[in-house]
Amino acid sequence: MSEEFSLQEVIDSFKLSLSDSKEIFMDQYVEGWRGLVKLLNSLGSVFGFISKDVVNKLSILVSLRGGPEGAHYLSLQSMVQYELQSGLVEGGDHPASGTRGVSGCRTLLRLHRALRWLQLFLGGVSRDEGTPPTLCSLAYSQSLSQHHPWVIRSAAGLAFRMLPPRDPFLRMLNAGEPPQAVEVLGGAVPVLGEVYTITEELYSKHDLLNLP
Ligand code: 1PX
């Protein structure tokens, strides 16, 4: 994977994360997020606190996947089953993989909620319903913000105002000129939507949507 952000690479990773039987593979899911971090990093230092949080969550998932229990973290479905059976969902210690007090399920839940934000935001941009700062803040208020305390909400609000206008934003996606980038974006939304819906159903079925 190149150092530069590519929207197509992100879409491909999330697409590849879906198996034929609609399981979601962890490695490709993390890869998709790694791609998004590249864009966050290129947006400037006001987005640093967001990127740091995502990187931190990805490294927890990568440690669990690379640890002795790694086989259980092959997919989101196998992770949920394993952590439920082992009493780890609320946050267990995994000394061998170096993670303590956190679970894969609660860590991934934070990214899952953010994926809803992304789906709403990119949907709005692709339909040209407003400028990136406006759409970003609208999508945030319809999703993630309910899970964040005031201090995070206000820092996020400040960062959103620093987002570039539509055309420069579309060019940052590295998916061609703005009209082509819009087309690629339109293709991204259903893929993110499918990953989101499958995860939402999985978490809801096991009553994991409010993990602390
Ligand atoms: C195709 C281009 C799309 C743009 C890509 C940008 C991807 C950004 C993804 C943002 C992910 C945010 C993850 C937040 C996870 C979270 O909720 N963490 C909080 C709770 O964690 P805890 O472990 O304590 O329970 C944590 O407190 C969060 C801190 C960071 C602030 C999160 C603000 C989220 C704003 C989302 C919008 C990002 C703006 C990007 C603009 C393009």
Side-chain angles (χ1 to χ4, degrees):
M1 216 184 229
S2 67
E3 280 310 299
E4 212 180 339
F5 175 79
S6 149
L7 179 59
Q8 193 58 54
E9 272 180 17
V10 170
I11 303 175
D12 291 346
S13 299
F14 281 112
K15 240 189 220 164
L16 283 171
S17 77
L18 288 165
S19 79
D20 293 341
S21 57
K22 303 298 174 196
E23 271 194 80
I24 301 172
F25 294 123
M26 182 69 81
D27 294 343
Q28 287 78 8
Y29 185 92
V30 166
E31 208 51 39
W33 272 104
R34 282 204 176 117
L36 291 169
V37 168
K38 288 187 206 167
L39 186 80
L40 264 183
N41 287 340
S42 66
L43 284 168
S45 56
V46 270
F47 292 86
F49 76 109
I50 306 176
S51 148
K52 221 167 127 184
D53 187 65
V54 179
V55 167
N56 177 32
K57 289 183 168 49
L58 294 178
S59 69
I60 293 172
L61 295 173
V62 167
S63 306
L64 292 170
R65 176 80 178 115
E69 308 303 331
H72 296 293
Y73 291 86
L74 175 69
S75 72
L76 274 53
Q77 286 77 0
S78 61
M79 168 184 78
V80 164
Q81 193 190 9
Y82 167 68
E83 290 196 343
L84 276 174
Q85 275 172 358
S86 325
L88 292 170
V89 268
E90 298 247 345
D93 287 345
H94 306 260
S97 60
T99 58
R100 288 186 183 278
V102 291
S103 70
C105 286
R106 70 84 63 197
T107 302
L108 195 128
L109 175 62
R110 272 61 185 171
L111 298 176
H112 166 65
R113 290 170 177 160
L115 212 57
R116 175 75 183 148
W117 161 80
L118 187 61
Q119 188 196 352
L120 293 171
F121 172 58
L122 297 185
V125 174
S126 73
R127 295 185 297 271
D128 198 6
E129 290 171 350
T131 63
T134 313
L135 293 171
C136 185
S137 119
L138 181 68
Y140 180 69
S141 68
Q142 292 169 343
S143 58
L144 263 183
S145 75
Q146 315 152 27
H147 304 285
H148 289 162
W150 179 85
V151 59
I152 298 281
R153 290 204 304 264
S154 47
L158 285 178
F160 297 163
R161 288 199 239 151
M162 308 301 284
L163 281 173
R166 181 176 168 81
D167 278 6
F169 177 77
L170 288 171
R171 289 206 167 83
M172 290 183 78
L173 303 182
N174 207 357
E177 284 302 296
Q180 282 128 319
V182 168
E183 244 173 74
V184 182
L185 263 188
V189 176
V191 175
L192 297 174
E194 188 172 11
V195 172
Y196 178 83
T197 305
I198 295 172
T199 313
E200 181 77 6
E201 284 170 4
L202 174 71
Y203 270 62
S204 156
K205 187 167 119 197
H206 297 286
D207 198 17
L208 297 173
L209 284 168
N210 292 305
L211 281 179

